[in-house]
Amino acid sequence: MSPETTEASRAAVQRLQEEWDWPDPALLREIVAHGEAAIAPLTELLTPEVIRMCKSDDYSNSIVYYVIRLLAEPHSPAAIPTLIGLYADLDDAEDYSDDLIETLPEAMLTLGTPEAIGPLLTVMTDERLSWYPRSSAVESAVNLAGTDPALRAQIAETLRPLLADRVHRAAPISITPQRQLLRDRDWMHPFNDDDSDMVAELVGALADVNDLQARPLIESAYRAGLVNTKIIGLDDVNEIYATGGETHFRTAEPWLEQYEENYQEHQQEDRETEGDSEAAQRLRQLERAIEEDWEPVQAPVVLGKRLGRNDPCWCGSGKKYKKCHLAEDEKDGRA
């Protein structure tokens, strides 16, 4: 890597820092074109202060978002340490943001390299982290592994002991039908704590990679009442195993192309409001805010069979049903 290339990449990243509010797509493509040379200067933007303020401060939030997206675009394993570190950094942030955590799995899909599976599993095994980043990490690992037997075995060998530990530590209690009913009926019931969510994620991932050795442990976990059945029920597990594990995997979306479309729409909106009075501009801003927050009420989707937890969500987001509208539909009785 020549000094000229390094200097040019640093200059481009510096412009991103200055033009962070809707940067020109040409600038983003220029940074991507620098490849691995841009990784170091992008990483340097993630200062402790930027991470700490990533939710309450627009600049910090935007910088973290663009860095995550741009680090993944060159498809280089050199970006893995920074992206993996963000799972813990964002979890520890004073102004924690689920939206940025959700960006990491998208970046991992774009990165598309199986070398990330091992580091992702270290996130999953880090019990200092909350449930959500750990769950996101293991789902990314399962997606990157696909149907590759060796990669699936790598995931299973890491996750199976975690499930075994939880099963063996569980008190020998009997789950009454009444207690299970409470657990199934109310998503926010105190029985549904982070630990039962984490066990559910372990169970789902082990089923996804078709780990047959884990089946007795999984059954024990359900008998002990350790699994949040709102996330995955035993029938769901049996259905996944019957198909040889997960067969539908998410693919990376063309982020730069989508950003360019959004950028053009934003520019058009700015041009439309240039001649407006201050009152008219405020009205337009209010209308846009209402449009962005409004979600249409959709009637229940009737299928030949129940929508599975790993099926694409009915809303068209591209996410799996379990990661999108499952909880809301369960509360409304629509699932």
Side-chain angles (χ1 to χ4, degrees):
M1 191 180 306
S2 68
E4 292 80 8
T5 300
T6 302
E7 189 61 33
S9 64
R10 287 191 176 279
V13 171
Q14 177 64 34
R15 284 171 54 204
L16 173 65
Q17 194 173 10
E18 297 166 354
E19 304 169 19
W20 59 271
D21 189 14
W22 285 102
D24 192 307
L27 173 59
L28 301 182
R29 292 189 181 280
E30 179 184 344
I31 294 172
V32 171
H34 286 293
E36 291 189 358
I39 292 177
L42 283 170
T43 300
E44 289 167 8
L45 295 184
L46 301 175
T47 64
E49 180 67 11
V50 164
I51 294 294
R52 187 178 68 83
M53 300 293 292
C54 63
K55 185 173 183 180
S56 61
D57 177 63
D58 288 344
Y59 165 79
S60 298
N61 186 283
S62 297
I63 286 296
V64 174
Y65 173 78
Y66 289 122
V67 167
I68 290 173
R69 285 298 198 170
L70 292 168
L71 283 173
E73 287 295 326
H75 312 290
S76 170
I80 293 175
T82 300
L83 291 171
I84 292 296
L86 280 167
Y87 282 96
D89 290 342
L90 293 174
D91 196 41
D92 290 339
E94 179 179 302
D95 294 304
Y96 172 79
S97 173
D98 282 356
D99 292 342
L100 290 173
I101 290 285
E102 288 175 1
T103 306
L104 286 168
E106 301 294 336
M108 287 298 173
L109 283 175
T110 301
L111 194 66
T113 173
E115 287 95 327
I117 291 176
L120 284 166
L121 293 175
T122 65
V123 174
M124 177 60 177
T125 57
D126 188 348
E127 298 198 359
R128 296 170 299 177
L129 302 182
S130 59
W131 168 76
Y132 190 67
R134 297 171 70 193
S135 168
S136 298
V138 75
E139 184 172 351
S140 293
V142 170
N143 264 290
L144 288 173
T147 58
D148 185 285
L151 297 177
R152 282 186 161 191
Q154 179 185 358
I155 294 172
E157 292 299 324
T158 300
L159 302 188
R160 196 187 316 120
L162 297 179
L163 180 60
D165 178 64
R166 280 162 173 76
V167 170
H168 294 155
R169 281 190 291 149
I173 58 174
S174 175
I175 301 302
T176 65
Q178 290 81 5
R179 180 176 180 182
Q180 190 65 50
L181 178 62
L182 284 172
R183 183 176 209 153
D184 289 343
R185 186 177 63 189
D186 189 353
W187 178 257
M188 296 305 293
H189 193 275
F191 289 142
N192 292 323
D193 55 15
D194 270 5
D195 197 54
S196 67
D197 292 348
M198 197 69 259
V199 173
E201 192 63 41
L202 288 169
V203 165
L206 288 165
D208 286 345
V209 298
N210 199 36
D211 182 31
L212 299 179
Q213 294 182 52
R215 292 202 76 169
L217 286 170
I218 290 173
E219 291 169 2
S220 296
Y222 278 101
R223 283 196 300 271
L226 300 177
V227 187
N228 185 339
T229 54
K230 284 288 186 180
I231 295 178
I232 184 168
L234 188 54
D235 288 344
D236 298 317
V237 171
N238 292 333
E239 184 179 321
I240 295 169
Y241 272 115
T243 60
E246 179 61 87
T247 56
H248 302 290
F249 302 98
R250 294 180 61 195
T251 56
E253 299 177 354
W255 170 67
L256 273 174
E257 287 80 357
Q258 292 177 351
Y259 174 81
E260 189 156 10
E261 291 179 9
N262 295 335
Y263 177 83
Q264 296 301 334
E265 291 176 4
H266 177 74
Q267 293 292 97
Q268 179 62 30
E269 290 174 357
D270 281 351
R271 285 192 292 270
E272 290 174 355
T273 59
E274 277 181 2
D276 287 349
S277 65
E278 184 177 346
Q281 290 181 22
R282 288 179 179 175
L283 180 59
R284 283 182 180 273
Q285 290 171 357
L286 178 60
E287 289 172 345
R288 284 202 299 269
I290 292 173
E291 289 174 359
E292 290 171 359
D293 291 340
W294 178 77
E295 291 185 6
V297 176
Q298 179 162 338
V301 179
V302 180
L303 302 175
K305 68 179 184 67
R306 178 168 67 89
L307 191 64
R309 60 188 283 277
N310 288 310
D311 291 332
C313 188
W314 53 259
C315 72
S317 66
K319 297 180 182 180
K320 291 183 180 180
Y321 185 40
K322 68 180 181 181
K323 293 293 185 184
C324 199
H325 276 85
L326 174 60
E328 182 179 332
D329 288 353
E330 289 279 5
K331 286 172 63 178
D332 295 340
R334 295 186 298 171

